[in-house]
């Protein structure tokens, strides 16, 4: 019996060895494939793929550069593998690299790699050597998958005009994981998906091309960032979702896009799904919802900034949208057009989110739909929620905001507003002589509309750094509300900086004003008469001036923010008050 078991084990091992050898043989013996970056390997690679489809084997490509002047189709059940086990940066000349030249100028041409049912592409770098930064032209999709179980994993896209398309025709159970790179016009497009698809760990940023060291990026004359990032900010839609049932998206990111995530309706329909840990930075719109299935989407743990072009908004719900959109535990900052705009007849839930900065039209703006805004924190003062005529209902509860939650309610009793933070009343003993360090924690208690986020003052002039560690930019006209002792006269001092070649900024309070010198650090002082504080517990102060944008004033800047003056500190001293000021937001 013992001999029989040993003999059986030996036979099994021998069979496994034969199978393994056959698979390796099929992978490594690729007649006519050069991998030298000069010879067109399209036909030879397609022949190897077709043979693998018939024999039930896979095709593995050793380290090398494979020039593909046409396109490849991976048969059902075949894996096309390269040597990379992870995505990478700036190593296009290592491992398995596909050099793709087919379809130049043909946005709708055949994809460079087409995946059929249960086929996959893994472990490769994809480069378009004829695409240059100063002359970006369309190319077809890098990868197009359809049928059941397409897999794309550990792929680096150095300079893809279009990244990965799934569906059209139908698709189910796709898996896209560990894909990093620079995409120029479209990143990932999902459609015709009638069963659960998954996208995980996908990261798009222009530096995958700009800092790749690939020769094509060096051909551009001048600032490559101006060409590449300038193009993506005006054209890139990074993640697009048409018809997809139960899409699961986890840990994805894009920097420098026109639209980070877009939900549309195709002839196949629209999307429902869960989106966890998604991010969009330096976009014009972080998430644009044009259409949804009635089930809707759930966005959890997202992070969004939007400041490179109109509307400069984190989330935009279009007038065409219906269904449910839920945003939970998300962070928003640098969204001057508003963190969330609701223009569609949707059911929108915003819960446990943090909004780091304000917006002139309101942090959350709605002119349609049904809203629940609950348990959020708004760091800036000024208008947090704006409910315009057209909103059917709103529940606004348990939100915090320094100085008290500010809600613009133009729908009357259809808005239920309760249990939100109210303004804190400062003790009269603190109003005799105090200083506010602008940009430091707690300054929000004193700020109204028109302020950007807090910043370090490390790069400001030495005369400022010796007194202040933080600052904020105004965003045009900005306001402060300063505690006072009723009937007391005060000396108001404001430390600020204005940039050269920008509009004049003026300090106004109690009917008196003083203009700041353009291009200088200044200490502006106003005398506030006792009559201005009579019967009042606070003084309204304004820093007024036309906003300007660094992208229009500073050569080479892509910063589309609207700025005014850079403010470091504010001090109020009552007549006869103590000589030393107390800092009230240390």
């Amino acid at each position: 019996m013992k001999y029989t078991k040993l003999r059986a084990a030996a036979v099994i091992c021998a069979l496994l060895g034969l199978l393994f050898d056959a698979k390796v043989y099929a992978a490594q013996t690729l007649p006519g494939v050069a991998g030298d970056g000069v010879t067109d390997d399209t036909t030879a690679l397609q022949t190897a793929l077709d043979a693998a489809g018939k024999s039930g084997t896979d095709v593995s490509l050793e380290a090398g550069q494979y020039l593909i002047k046409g396109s490849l189709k991976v048969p059902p059940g075949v894996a096309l593998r390269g040597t990379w086990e992870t995505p990478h940066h700036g190593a296009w000349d290592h491992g398995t690299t596909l050099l793709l030249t087919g379809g130049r100028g043909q946005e709708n041409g055949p994809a460079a790699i087409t995946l059929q049912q249960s086929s996959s592409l893994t472990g490769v770098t994809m480069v378009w050597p004829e695409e240059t930064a100063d002359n970006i032209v369309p190319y077809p999709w890098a990868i197009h998958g359809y049928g059941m179980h397409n897999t794309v994993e550990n792929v680096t896209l150095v300079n893809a005009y279009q990244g990965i398309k799934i569906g059209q025709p139908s698709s189910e159970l796709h898996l896209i994981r560990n894909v990093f790179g620079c995409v120029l016009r479209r990143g990932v497009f999902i459609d015709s998906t009638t069963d659960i698809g998954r996208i995980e760990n996908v990261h798009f940023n222009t530096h995958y091309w700009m800092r790749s060291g690939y020769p094509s990026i060096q051909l551009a004359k001048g600032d490559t960032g101006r060409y590449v990032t300038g193009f993506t900010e005006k054209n890139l839609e990074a993640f697009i979702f048409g018809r997809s049932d139960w899409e699961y998206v986890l840990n994805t990111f894009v920097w420098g896009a026109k639209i980070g995530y877009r939900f549309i309706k195709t002839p196949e329909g629209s999307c429902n799904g869960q989106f966890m840990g998604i991010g969009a930075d330096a976009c014009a719109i972080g998430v644009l919802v044009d259409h949804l299935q009635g089930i809707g989407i759930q966005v959890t743990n997202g992070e969004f900034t939007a400041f490179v072009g109109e509307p400069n908004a984190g989330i935009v719900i279009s007038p065409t949208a219906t269904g449910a959109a839920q945003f939970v535990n998300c962070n928003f900052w640098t969204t001057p057009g508003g963190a969330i705009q609701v223009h569609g007849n949707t059911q929108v839930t915003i819960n446990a989110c943090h909004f780091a900065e304000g917006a002139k039209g309101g942090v959350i703006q709605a002119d349609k739909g049904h809203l629940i805004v609950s348990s959020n924190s708004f760091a800036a003062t000024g208008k947090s929620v704006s409910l315009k005529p057209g909103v059917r209902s709103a529940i606004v509860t348990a939100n915090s905001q320094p100085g008290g939650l500010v809600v613009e309610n133009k729908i009357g009793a259809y808005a239920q507003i309760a249990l939100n933070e109210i303004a804190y009343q400062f003790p009269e003993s603190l109003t005799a002589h105090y200083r506010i360090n602008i940009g430091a924690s707690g300054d929000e208690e004193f700020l109204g509309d028109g302020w950007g986020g807090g910043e370090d003052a490390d790069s400001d002039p030495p005369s400022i750094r010796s007194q202040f560690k933080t600052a904020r930019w105004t965003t045009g006209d900005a306001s402060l509300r300063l505690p006072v002792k009723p009937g007391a006269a005060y000396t108001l001092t404001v430390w600020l900086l204005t940039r050269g070649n920008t509009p004049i900024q003026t300090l106004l309070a109690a009917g008196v004003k003083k203009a700041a010198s353009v291009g200088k650090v200044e200490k502006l002082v106003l005398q506030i008469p006792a009559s201005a504080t009579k019967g009042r517990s606070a003084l309204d102060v304004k820093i007024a001036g036309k906003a300007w944008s660094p992208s229009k004033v500073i050569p080479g800047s892509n910063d589309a923010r609207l700025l005014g003056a850079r403010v470091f500190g504010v001090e109020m001293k009552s007549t006869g008050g103590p000589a030393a000021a107390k800092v009230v937001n240390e």
Side-chain angles (χ1 to χ4, degrees):
M1 179 65 89
K2 185 174 182 181
Y3 172 78
T4 303
K5 287 183 178 180
L6 288 172
R7 186 177 180 186
V11 170
I12 290 170
C13 288
L15 287 172
L16 288 174
L18 287 171
L19 290 172
F20 178 76
D21 288 345
K23 202 168 186 85
V24 171
Y25 176 80
Q28 293 183 345
T29 304
L30 303 176
V33 176
D36 59 8
V38 177
T39 305
D40 182 7
D41 287 324
T42 307
T43 301
L45 281 174
Q46 188 61 61
T47 299
L49 288 166
D50 292 342
K54 294 175 182 177
S55 63
T57 56
D58 297 332
V59 173
S60 294
L61 299 178
E62 298 301 313
Q65 296 177 32
Y66 299 84
L67 177 62
I68 300 171
K69 291 186 176 181
S71 58
L72 300 175
K73 183 172 283 191
V74 183
V78 173
L80 177 58
R81 295 194 183 100
T83 59
W84 285 102
E85 295 184 359
T86 59
H88 59 90
H89 195 289
W92 58 269
D93 54 347
H94 293 66
T96 303
T97 299
L98 307 182
L99 304 177
L100 306 153
T101 61
R104 180 174 172 83
Q106 302 173 40
E107 183 171 318
N108 296 316
I113 309 289
T114 297
L115 302 177
Q116 300 179 77
Q117 181 161 311
S118 297
S119 64
S120 64
L121 175 68
T122 63
V124 302
T125 300
M126 303 180 75
V127 181
W128 286 257
E130 295 177 354
E131 187 77 280
T132 60
D134 56 354
N135 184 31
I136 294 173
V137 300
Y139 277 86
W141 290 95
I143 303 162
H144 177 203
Y146 59 87
M148 296 279 289
H149 272 297
N150 306 133
T151 298
V152 180
E153 191 168 15
N154 296 329
V155 171
T156 301
L157 303 170
V158 174
N159 59 339
Y161 189 80
Q162 301 182 100
I164 303 168
K165 175 182 176 181
I166 299 293
Q168 296 183 351
S170 63
S171 167
E172 295 184 41
L173 297 165
H174 56 263
L175 174 61
I176 301 171
R177 182 164 57 194
N178 297 347
V179 175
F180 286 56
C182 170
V183 288
L184 300 166
R185 177 62 182 88
R186 298 178 185 90
V188 174
F189 175 38
I190 307 297
D191 195 24
S192 316
T193 298
T194 55
D195 200 359
I196 299 168
R198 290 172 173 82
I199 303 173
E200 303 174 0
N201 304 333
V202 177
H203 185 111
F204 294 136
N205 194 307
T206 55
H207 63 60
Y208 278 90
W209 187 17
M210 292 165 55
R211 302 207 304 259
S212 67
Y214 192 76
S216 69
I217 197 66
Q218 310 303 330
L219 296 177
K221 298 183 176 76
D223 181 6
T224 56
R226 179 166 59 91
Y227 294 119
V228 179
T229 305
F231 185 90
T232 60
E233 288 176 351
K234 292 179 175 63
N235 297 282
L236 174 59
E237 298 179 15
F239 299 89
I240 309 168
F241 299 92
R243 168 69 183 277
S244 185
D245 300 345
W246 292 56
E247 187 74 24
Y248 284 85
V249 178
L250 174 68
N251 296 342
T252 57
F253 177 85
V254 59
W255 181 92
K258 178 182 178 181
I259 301 171
Y261 300 78
R262 187 172 189 179
F263 297 86
I264 66 173
K265 185 177 182 179
T266 71
E268 299 288 333
S270 51
C271 179
N272 79 76
Q274 298 188 23
F275 298 80
M276 297 160 280
I278 68 173
D281 187 12
C283 297
I285 301 176
V287 177
L288 176 60
V289 179
D290 291 327
H291 291 274
L292 294 173
Q293 294 183 26
I295 303 164
I297 57 172
Q298 302 86 50
V299 178
T300 308
N301 299 346
E303 293 186 314
F304 307 101
T305 77
F307 55 86
V308 302
E310 294 295 333
N312 291 316
I315 311 290
V316 175
I317 311 293
S318 296
T320 54
T322 57
Q326 302 173 55
F327 302 94
V328 178
N329 199 38
C330 298
N331 278 9
F332 299 81
W333 67 99
T334 320
T335 54
I340 301 176
Q341 297 182 6
V342 181
H343 306 298
N345 191 25
T346 47
Q347 294 173 303
V348 179
T349 300
I350 306 162
N351 175 256
C353 295
H354 178 69
F355 302 93
E357 299 174 18
K360 285 195 172 181
V363 177
I364 298 171
Q365 308 167 20
D367 53 36
K368 209 170 182 181
H370 305 254
L371 275 74
I372 298 175
V373 181
S374 65
S375 303
N376 302 289
S377 58
F378 298 86
T381 53
K383 193 187 305 178
S384 288
V385 181
S386 174
L387 304 172
K388 299 289 181 64
V391 175
R392 294 294 300 274
S393 67
I395 300 172
V396 183
T397 60
N399 300 285
S400 67
Q401 179 182 11
L405 186 75
V406 180
V407 179
E408 178 186 46
N409 178 17
K410 294 189 176 181
I411 64 171
Y414 294 109
Q416 300 180 54
I417 304 169
L419 302 177
N420 298 294
E421 183 175 355
I422 62 174
Y424 174 74
Q425 296 297 318
F426 280 84
E428 191 174 290
S429 59
L430 292 179
T431 64
H433 189 185
Y434 63 91
R435 177 182 289 191
I436 305 162
N437 289 333
I438 300 297
S441 176
D443 70 337
E444 301 93 345
E445 297 279 358
F446 310 93
L447 304 182
D449 289 332
W451 294 90
E455 301 177 358
D456 291 334
D458 295 344
S459 59
D460 287 292
S463 60
I464 283 294
R465 295 201 308 269
S466 63
Q467 301 178 75
F468 301 99
K469 295 180 180 179
T470 56
R472 286 183 191 262
W473 285 99
T474 64
T475 57
D477 293 345
S479 61
L480 301 107
R481 192 164 178 80
L482 305 178
V484 294
K485 179 180 178 181
Y490 280 86
T491 298
L492 166 63
T493 304
V494 177
W495 288 262
L496 56 76
L497 174 152
T498 58
R499 185 179 174 85
N501 301 315
T502 63
I504 293 173
Q505 305 293 319
T506 302
L507 178 66
L508 305 95
V512 293
K513 62 183 180 180
K514 189 168 186 178
S517 301
V518 175
K520 291 180 62 178
V521 173
E522 263 191 299
K523 183 171 74 170
L524 299 183
V525 179
L526 292 183
Q527 298 300 325
I528 309 300
S531 59
T533 66
K534 185 176 180 181
R536 305 185 62 179
S537 61
L539 176 72
D540 292 320
V541 177
K542 190 173 184 180
I543 301 173
K546 186 177 179 181
W548 57 277
S549 173
S551 62
K552 301 274 177 62
V553 175
I554 304 172
S557 174
N558 294 316
D559 186 351
R561 290 180 300 165
L562 295 177
L563 306 178
R566 186 167 174 81
V567 184
F568 305 95
V570 175
E571 189 170 299
M572 286 283 278
K573 182 179 185 301
S574 63
T575 301
K582 177 176 178 57
V583 178
V584 293
N585 64 322
E586 287 184 318

